[in-house]
Amino acid sequence: QVHLEQSASGVTNPGASVKVSCETSGYTFATYPISWVRLAPGQGLEWMGWISGGDTKYAQTFQGRLTLTADTSTATVYMELKNVRSDDTATYFCARTSFSNYFDIWGRGTLVTVSS
Amino acid sequence: QSALNQPPSASGSLGQSVTISCSGSSSDTDFYAFLSYYVSWYQQHPGKAPKLLIYEVSKRPSGVSDRFSGSRSGNTASLTVSGLQADDEADYYCLSYSGSNTWVFGGGTKLTVL
């Protein structure tokens, strides 16, 4: 069945970069884009960006700090956030994006804690 | 910029129905066209991933209870939860496509089952 497996949670120092992976399985990887969403403590869900093949789109909030990449050989998508701050502490989710613009399958989430 | 406005909280008693609204606003007139078709709803329990409840305004994925229904009137989409159960207590989010491969979430509504 369709599954998105995310990398383990971790702690990152302020100013560093964090990279989260999302390994997909159970469907043809190239057929569906992947979106990234985060949930910060006390906040709501926030759409971060989208990747489809070699195309990417980022929310304005993350322009210049967010990079999404894909490895088609392993059907894995990566989310890298640079120069992290304490308010980047959040659970980051990858989600398969359907043709009708909804997110049908989600990863379990990766908690990133920014702390020195 | 486009935005979706949800009430921060809603409540209902066991067995009753509750409706959560999601009102769109944007300086981009195309957003309202997207709002007509590409609204989806998600349920999120604490510490869990969001779960798709409704897509394309009113369609239910297989496996989702028919107690969940979606509708739209003008620039406002709504999610109705009928026959409230204890497990329905969760956060609910609307999502709309906003063009050029971008999306926007509503602020979320915390549903309390009394």
Side-chain angles (χ1 to χ4, degrees), chain B residues 13-37:
Chain B
S13 300
L14 283 168
Q16 288 190 331
S17 296
V18 66
T19 297
I20 298 169
S21 62
C22 171
S23 179
S25 62
S26 179
S27 56
D28 179 4
T29 54
D30 287 345
F31 179 67
Y32 296 102
F34 298 132
L35 200 58
S36 297
Y37 295 101

Short mmCIF file of all heavy atoms in Angstrom, two decimals, chain B residues 13-37:
data_model
loop_
_atom_site.label_atom_id
_atom_site.label_comp_id
_atom_site.label_asym_id
_atom_site.label_seq_id
_atom_site.Cartn_x
_atom_site.Cartn_y
_atom_site.Cartn_z
N SER B 13 -22.36 18.34 21.61
CA SER B 13 -22.57 17.21 22.50
C SER B 13 -22.54 15.90 21.73
O SER B 13 -22.75 15.87 20.51
CB SER B 13 -23.91 17.35 23.23
OG SER B 13 -23.93 18.53 23.98
N LEU B 14 -22.28 14.84 22.45
CA LEU B 14 -22.30 13.51 21.84
C LEU B 14 -23.62 13.30 21.09
O LEU B 14 -24.69 13.59 21.61
CB LEU B 14 -22.16 12.43 22.91
CG LEU B 14 -20.76 12.20 23.49
CD1 LEU B 14 -20.83 11.33 24.73
CD2 LEU B 14 -19.83 11.59 22.45
N GLY B 15 -23.51 12.83 19.86
CA GLY B 15 -24.68 12.54 19.06
C GLY B 15 -25.21 13.71 18.24
O GLY B 15 -25.97 13.51 17.30
N GLN B 16 -24.79 14.92 18.61
CA GLN B 16 -25.26 16.08 17.87
C GLN B 16 -24.40 16.34 16.65
O GLN B 16 -23.45 15.61 16.35
CB GLN B 16 -25.25 17.31 18.79
CG GLN B 16 -26.33 17.29 19.86
CD GLN B 16 -26.43 18.63 20.59
OE1 GLN B 16 -25.46 19.36 20.71
NE2 GLN B 16 -27.63 18.93 21.09
N SER B 17 -24.73 17.40 15.91
CA SER B 17 -23.96 17.79 14.72
C SER B 17 -23.30 19.13 14.97
O SER B 17 -23.81 19.96 15.73
CB SER B 17 -24.87 17.90 13.50
OG SER B 17 -25.43 16.66 13.17
N VAL B 18 -22.17 19.33 14.31
CA VAL B 18 -21.48 20.61 14.38
C VAL B 18 -20.95 20.95 13.00
O VAL B 18 -20.56 20.05 12.23
CB VAL B 18 -20.34 20.57 15.43
CG1 VAL B 18 -19.25 19.61 15.00
CG2 VAL B 18 -19.76 21.94 15.66
N THR B 19 -20.97 22.22 12.67
CA THR B 19 -20.47 22.68 11.37
C THR B 19 -19.33 23.68 11.58
O THR B 19 -19.44 24.59 12.40
CB THR B 19 -21.59 23.35 10.55
OG1 THR B 19 -22.60 22.37 10.26
CG2 THR B 19 -21.05 23.89 9.23
N ILE B 20 -18.24 23.45 10.86
CA ILE B 20 -17.06 24.31 10.93
C ILE B 20 -16.94 25.05 9.60
O ILE B 20 -16.97 24.41 8.54
CB ILE B 20 -15.79 23.48 11.20
CG1 ILE B 20 -15.91 22.77 12.54
CG2 ILE B 20 -14.55 24.36 11.14
CD1 ILE B 20 -14.82 21.72 12.77
N SER B 21 -16.79 26.36 9.66
CA SER B 21 -16.71 27.15 8.44
C SER B 21 -15.27 27.48 8.07
O SER B 21 -14.36 27.44 8.91
CB SER B 21 -17.51 28.45 8.61
OG SER B 21 -16.93 29.23 9.64
N CYS B 22 -15.09 27.82 6.80
CA CYS B 22 -13.77 28.14 6.25
C CYS B 22 -13.99 29.20 5.17
O CYS B 22 -14.46 28.88 4.07
CB CYS B 22 -13.16 26.86 5.67
SG CYS B 22 -11.64 27.09 4.70
N SER B 23 -13.70 30.44 5.51
CA SER B 23 -14.03 31.56 4.64
C SER B 23 -12.78 32.07 3.94
O SER B 23 -11.76 32.35 4.60
CB SER B 23 -14.67 32.67 5.47
OG SER B 23 -14.96 33.77 4.66
N GLY B 24 -12.85 32.19 2.62
CA GLY B 24 -11.68 32.60 1.85
C GLY B 24 -11.67 34.08 1.54
O GLY B 24 -12.72 34.70 1.36
N SER B 25 -10.46 34.63 1.48
CA SER B 25 -10.30 36.02 1.07
C SER B 25 -8.98 36.15 0.32
O SER B 25 -7.99 35.48 0.66
CB SER B 25 -10.32 36.96 2.27
OG SER B 25 -9.25 36.69 3.13
N SER B 26 -8.98 36.99 -0.71
CA SER B 26 -7.77 37.13 -1.50
C SER B 26 -7.87 38.36 -2.40
O SER B 26 -8.96 38.77 -2.79
CB SER B 26 -7.57 35.89 -2.38
OG SER B 26 -6.41 36.01 -3.18
N SER B 27 -6.70 38.92 -2.72
CA SER B 27 -6.66 40.01 -3.68
C SER B 27 -6.60 39.44 -5.11
O SER B 27 -6.71 40.18 -6.08
CB SER B 27 -5.41 40.87 -3.42
OG SER B 27 -4.24 40.07 -3.46
N ASP B 28 -6.42 38.13 -5.22
CA ASP B 28 -6.35 37.43 -6.50
C ASP B 28 -7.72 36.81 -6.78
O ASP B 28 -8.15 35.88 -6.08
CB ASP B 28 -5.27 36.35 -6.44
CG ASP B 28 -5.16 35.56 -7.73
OD1 ASP B 28 -5.88 35.89 -8.72
OD2 ASP B 28 -4.37 34.60 -7.77
N THR B 29 -8.40 37.30 -7.80
CA THR B 29 -9.75 36.80 -8.07
C THR B 29 -9.75 35.34 -8.47
O THR B 29 -10.74 34.63 -8.28
CB THR B 29 -10.41 37.64 -9.18
OG1 THR B 29 -9.55 37.66 -10.33
CG2 THR B 29 -10.65 39.08 -8.72
N ASP B 30 -8.62 34.83 -9.01
CA ASP B 30 -8.54 33.41 -9.37
C ASP B 30 -8.72 32.51 -8.16
O ASP B 30 -9.19 31.38 -8.28
CB ASP B 30 -7.20 33.08 -10.04
CG ASP B 30 -7.09 33.62 -11.45
OD1 ASP B 30 -8.15 34.00 -12.02
OD2 ASP B 30 -5.97 33.66 -11.98
N PHE B 31 -8.34 33.02 -6.98
CA PHE B 31 -8.43 32.21 -5.77
C PHE B 31 -9.85 31.75 -5.53
O PHE B 31 -10.09 30.62 -5.08
CB PHE B 31 -7.91 33.01 -4.57
CG PHE B 31 -7.98 32.26 -3.26
CD1 PHE B 31 -7.20 31.14 -3.03
CD2 PHE B 31 -8.85 32.67 -2.26
CE1 PHE B 31 -7.27 30.45 -1.83
CE2 PHE B 31 -8.94 31.99 -1.07
CZ PHE B 31 -8.14 30.88 -0.85
N TYR B 32 -10.80 32.61 -5.85
CA TYR B 32 -12.20 32.25 -5.58
C TYR B 32 -12.66 31.12 -6.49
O TYR B 32 -13.51 30.31 -6.12
CB TYR B 32 -13.08 33.50 -5.69
CG TYR B 32 -12.71 34.51 -4.64
CD1 TYR B 32 -11.93 35.63 -4.96
CD2 TYR B 32 -13.09 34.35 -3.31
CE1 TYR B 32 -11.56 36.55 -3.98
CE2 TYR B 32 -12.73 35.26 -2.34
CZ TYR B 32 -11.97 36.35 -2.68
OH TYR B 32 -11.59 37.25 -1.72
N ALA B 33 -12.10 31.06 -7.68
CA ALA B 33 -12.40 29.93 -8.56
C ALA B 33 -11.81 28.64 -7.98
O ALA B 33 -12.46 27.60 -7.97
CB ALA B 33 -11.84 30.18 -9.95
N PHE B 34 -10.58 28.72 -7.47
CA PHE B 34 -9.97 27.54 -6.85
C PHE B 34 -10.78 27.11 -5.64
O PHE B 34 -10.95 25.92 -5.34
CB PHE B 34 -8.53 27.82 -6.45
CG PHE B 34 -7.64 28.16 -7.61
CD1 PHE B 34 -6.78 29.26 -7.56
CD2 PHE B 34 -7.62 27.37 -8.74
CE1 PHE B 34 -5.96 29.57 -8.62
CE2 PHE B 34 -6.80 27.67 -9.81
CZ PHE B 34 -5.97 28.77 -9.76
N LEU B 35 -11.27 28.10 -4.88
CA LEU B 35 -12.05 27.82 -3.67
C LEU B 35 -13.33 27.07 -4.01
O LEU B 35 -13.88 26.35 -3.18
CB LEU B 35 -12.37 29.14 -2.98
CG LEU B 35 -12.76 29.13 -1.50
CD1 LEU B 35 -11.67 28.51 -0.66
CD2 LEU B 35 -13.03 30.57 -1.03
N SER B 36 -13.79 27.22 -5.23
CA SER B 36 -15.03 26.55 -5.64
C SER B 36 -14.84 25.06 -5.83
O SER B 36 -15.80 24.30 -5.77
CB SER B 36 -15.55 27.17 -6.95
OG SER B 36 -15.89 28.52 -6.77
N TYR B 37 -13.60 24.67 -6.12
CA TYR B 37 -13.38 23.26 -6.48
C TYR B 37 -12.35 22.56 -5.58
O TYR B 37 -12.49 21.37 -5.31
CB TYR B 37 -12.88 23.16 -7.92
CG TYR B 37 -13.88 23.61 -8.94
CD1 TYR B 37 -13.78 24.87 -9.52
CD2 TYR B 37 -14.94 22.79 -9.31
CE1 TYR B 37 -14.70 25.29 -10.46
CE2 TYR B 37 -15.87 23.21 -10.23
CZ TYR B 37 -15.74 24.46 -10.82
OH TYR B 37 -16.67 24.89 -11.73
#
